[in-house]
Amino acid sequence: MTNKTKVSHYIKIKEYLDGLMQSGELKVGDRLPTEIELTQQFEVSRETVRAAMKQLEQEGKLDVRKGVGRFVIRPLSSIPSSIDRFMSTEEIIRSAGLIEGQLEQFIRKEPCREEWAQFLKIPVGSPVIINERTRTANDEPVAHNINVMPLALVEQAFQNKTLTGSLLRFLENECGIRLTGASTELIVPHHTDPICRKLQVKRDTTVLMLKQIHFDQQHMPVLFSYDYYRNDVFQFWVNRRR
C-alpha cells in the first residue's frame, strides 16, 4: 500500500467516525469501536486506524483511557486572546461563549520571595497574600492562576469576602484598586511543572505560562501573577507593526 493510499484510508476512517459523532449515533461518553473492529471493517492496518484515532484525539474529540478504550468527549472551542489587550481569565473564557468556573481555590500568607519583591517593589520577606485557583470552561480545567499581592493592600478584602470570578473586579470593588495594564513575559513551562500536570487532561496537552506584573491607574505595581493556560484551548497573539 502506498503512502498516498494510507493517508486516504485514515482520512476516510476519521471522517466516518466524525460523522457518527455529529449525527449523534456516537454520543459523549460512548466508547469507540476497537482497533481490531475498525481494521476488519475498513480492511486496513492497525497503523492506519491509529492515525485516524490520533487525529480525533488531537482535535479534542476523544478521551483515551489506557487499557480501557477510546471515548467520545465534547471538544472545547478555542479561545482567542490578544496579549496586547488587558483582560481577566474570566473575560477571556466568557468571550468565547463558554461558562467560566473554578475547581479549587487556596489563599495563604507568605513572606515575599526575591522575585516577587523585585516586581512588586516591596522588601524581601514582607508579608504577601497568595491566591491560587484552577479555572474551568464548561466544567473542564483550562487555566491555573497564582496571584501574589502585598498583604497591606488586600488583607481586609480577603477576610471579608470570598473571591469568585474576576480578580480584577474583586480588587476594584473590595479594595478600590483598579488595574489598568500589565507587563507580560510568555514562557513555555517544563512538563514536570506540577501546575502543568493539573491541566494535562489529555496525554499531549501543552501549557503556556504568562508571568505578569499588573499596574494600577498610577502605574504602581499591585499584583504579580503566574498564569497557566492550556495551549489546545487558548490561542494568544500579539499585533506587531513597523
Side-chain angles (χ1 to χ4, degrees):
M1 185 183 296
T2 66
N3 287 337
K4 186 175 181 180
T5 303
K6 286 181 181 179
V7 170
S8 65
H9 280 170
Y10 106 75
I11 291 175
K12 182 178 179 182
I13 297 168
K14 189 255 184 186
E15 290 178 345
Y16 166 75
L17 294 171
D18 241 339
L20 293 181
M21 295 178 197
Q22 291 174 18
S23 69
E25 191 170 338
L26 275 175
K27 300 179 178 63
V28 172
D30 286 351
R31 184 166 65 178
L32 265 64
T34 65
E35 288 181 8
I36 293 176
E37 289 170 335
L38 290 171
T39 57
Q40 293 173 347
Q41 180 178 345
F42 289 93
E43 298 181 345
V44 295
S45 68
R46 292 183 76 163
E47 178 186 356
T48 302
V49 170
R50 285 172 185 157
M53 298 289 201
K54 185 66 176 177
Q55 185 67 34
L56 290 168
E57 184 185 350
Q58 289 174 343
E59 292 177 5
K61 297 175 181 176
L62 294 183
D63 176 25
V64 181
R65 303 176 194 172
K66 192 172 182 180
V68 180
R70 297 176 175 90
F71 295 81
V72 178
I73 58 176
R74 181 178 292 107
L76 286 174
S77 304
S78 62
I79 303 177
S81 178
S82 175
I83 293 178
D84 56 10
R85 185 181 175 195
F86 187 58
M87 297 175 69
S88 67
T89 299
E90 178 193 61
E91 290 172 316
I92 295 172
I93 293 172
R94 291 186 175 182
S95 69
L98 304 174
I99 299 173
E100 183 269 343
Q102 64 185 38
L103 281 179
E104 57 185 5
Q105 177 171 208
F106 304 101
I107 298 174
R108 61 186 184 273
K109 299 177 186 177
E110 280 189 21
C112 188
R113 300 178 189 176
E114 186 172 349
E115 182 181 37
W116 309 339
Q118 178 185 349
F119 285 103
L120 290 170
K121 308 299 183 188
I122 59 177
V124 174
S126 59
V128 294
I129 277 186
I130 301 172
N131 170 255
E132 188 169 347
R133 295 190 289 171
T134 300
R135 316 296 289 279
T136 62
N138 290 2
D139 296 322
E140 188 170 315
V142 296
H144 189 89
N145 307 123
I146 303 173
N147 303 299
V148 182
M149 296 154 281
L151 181 69
L153 288 180
V154 299
E155 180 179 22
Q156 198 66 35
F158 279 95
Q159 287 178 348
N160 294 338
K161 190 170 183 179
T162 301
L163 168 62
T164 58
S166 168
L167 175 59
L168 274 63
R169 186 173 60 247
F170 177 87
L171 291 176
E172 185 166 359
N173 292 342
E174 302 302 320
C175 305
I177 298 172
R178 183 165 179 261
L179 299 181
T180 58
S183 178
T184 302
E185 179 185 358
L186 187 60
I187 296 171
V188 179
H190 196 270
H191 67 89
T192 57
D193 187 322
I195 304 302
C196 292
R197 294 183 184 142
K198 285 179 178 285
L199 300 176
Q200 284 176 330
V201 295
K202 299 194 290 291
R203 185 174 48 190
D204 57 352
T205 299
T206 56
V207 176
L208 289 175
M209 192 258 279
L210 275 59
K211 184 189 291 188
Q212 305 193 86
I213 180 67
H214 303 256
F215 302 94
D216 65 11
Q217 289 173 295
Q218 285 74 45
H219 204 67
M220 295 295 294
V222 172
L223 164 67
F224 178 73
S225 67
Y226 305 98
D227 299 309
Y228 293 78
Y229 295 98
R230 273 177 48 189
N231 198 29
D232 62 327
V233 176
F234 293 88
Q235 298 174 350
F236 294 101
W237 73 90
V238 178
N239 295 315
R240 303 177 69 194
R241 294 181 178 85
R242 186 172 181 177

